[in-house]
Amino acid sequence: MAKGSNNAAWILVVILAVCFQVVFVFADCRQTATGTAIDFSKAYFLLDEDLEKYLCSDLIGDEEPSPATAYLQAKTDEATERGFGLGMVRQAIYHVKAETLSQDGESATIHLHGLRRTCIHPTFTWVAKWFRIGQAHEFEETLELTKEDGRWKICGAPYGLALEG
């Protein structure tokens, strides 16, 4: 009799774990201003092609090329001029601390502070960080975000992006 109740307890634990997992997945999918600021910063330093999806319509505008495209091309040209591949100018960020300076329903100001390191390959960054090889550089930026079509977007001049290009 005791064995049957033990099995029922394990089944209940598994069912609860699955339910909690589903709840946590949905909670993690919710977009926040802080999460958008961090994701944009990762894309900016990693020279991600999807960088433009984080920018508000004021930054993208009707310009050809967009500031994001111009920035990516400038970084590609910089790597080529130095005789390297794009990996030598890509950087991964870590130890990111985000502070919400102000936020309401339609706008937010997020201050980010963290470290960045050259990211030739993700494994290289991990090994370099672990064995303290290479240099880590601090970065700090205050990002202005607005809500467009229910999604948080980066506005202003993030990391001088609007000034480049």
Side-chain angles (χ1 to χ4, degrees):
M1 181 87 174
K3 185 172 177 99
S5 64
N6 192 20
N7 288 339
W10 280 110
I11 292 171
L12 181 63
V13 167
V14 170
I15 291 172
L16 283 174
V18 169
C19 291
F20 278 126
Q21 186 65 32
V22 169
V23 169
F24 291 144
V25 166
F26 282 114
D28 191 43
C29 290
R30 200 180 106 229
Q31 189 202 32
T32 63
T34 304
T36 301
I38 292 171
D39 290 345
F40 168 77
S41 297
K42 287 178 183 177
Y44 178 84
F45 287 112
L46 281 174
L47 306 177
D48 190 348
E49 299 285 331
D50 292 335
L51 179 65
E52 198 166 286
K53 77 178 183 181
Y54 295 104
L55 299 177
C56 68
S57 58
D58 292 343
L59 280 178
I60 298 171
D62 295 330
E63 297 178 31
E64 255 327 299
S66 71
T69 305
Y71 167 72
L72 294 173
Q73 185 60 48
K75 286 298 193 178
T76 302
D77 293 345
E78 176 188 336
T80 304
E81 287 173 14
R82 293 173 56 193
F84 298 125
L86 196 56
M88 290 301 288
V89 293
R90 293 175 65 220
Q91 298 181 336
I93 62 173
Y94 56 100
H95 296 303
V96 179
K97 294 183 177 97
E99 177 185 0
T100 303
L101 301 178
S102 66
Q103 183 173 354
D104 59 28
E106 296 299 315
S107 66
T109 304
I110 309 292
H111 181 79
L112 298 176
H113 181 267
L115 297 172
R116 57 188 170 87
R117 183 184 297 272
T118 300
C119 181
I120 299 168
H121 186 274
T123 305
F124 171 80
T125 305
W126 179 77
V127 170
K129 183 172 51 173
W130 206 24
F131 290 106
R132 299 180 183 179
I133 302 170
Q135 294 180 347
H137 305 279
E138 287 190 27
F139 75 92
E140 191 168 354
E141 183 72 14
T142 300
L143 300 173
E144 300 293 328
L145 291 89
T146 59
K147 241 185 186 174
E148 289 182 359
D149 301 324
R151 310 261 322 149
W152 287 104
K153 300 285 185 163
I154 307 291
C155 289
Y159 300 104
L161 183 65
L163 304 175
E164 298 180 24

